[in-house]
Amino acid sequence: MDLAFDAEVIEWRGPAPFYYAVVPEQAAEDIADLARELTYGWGCIPVTARIGETRWTTSLFPKDGGYLVPLKVAVRRAEGVDLGDVVGVRLTLGG
């Protein structure tokens, strides 16, 4: 399944700051319908993600009934993405 949506970039402060794109509610519901078939544990779902011209593999993290797309430093730098930005995200579920 392929999805495309606009997502806000947020920060979660753990031992180091981590940046995520928040999957919108409707897209999260679509993902949840397939989650059982795709998860490898803890609700994480492997995906191929794309922002602009940058593509990478990662896993969606479940959070508060929705999902977060982890944004690697290399992706943020390549696409000029910063905290609070709204970015166009394309996902292919299942990697």
Side-chain angles (χ1 to χ4, degrees):
M1 169 185 237
D2 293 327
L3 295 169
F5 51 83
D6 291 333
E8 181 182 3
V9 176
I10 64 165
E11 179 182 33
W12 177 75
R13 287 195 152 303
F18 294 95
Y19 292 80
Y20 298 91
V22 179
V23 176
E25 186 176 338
Q26 183 58 55
E29 289 174 9
D30 293 341
I31 294 166
D33 290 343
L34 299 172
R36 184 177 277 176
E37 299 169 24
L38 298 172
T39 186
Y40 59 82
W42 305 286
C44 295
I45 298 172
V47 298
T48 299
R50 181 175 177 166
I51 294 176
E53 297 301 316
T54 305
R55 183 179 298 197
W56 73 103
T57 57
T58 189
S59 293
L60 299 179
F61 292 171
K63 174 98 168 100
D64 300 329
Y67 295 93
L68 301 175
V69 180
L71 301 178
K72 298 176 181 184
V73 171
V75 172
R76 294 192 339 262
R77 285 184 183 151
E79 296 298 329
V81 173
D82 206 353
L83 181 64
D85 288 350
V86 175
V87 294
V89 178
R90 291 172 109 26
L91 297 179
T92 300
L93 301 182

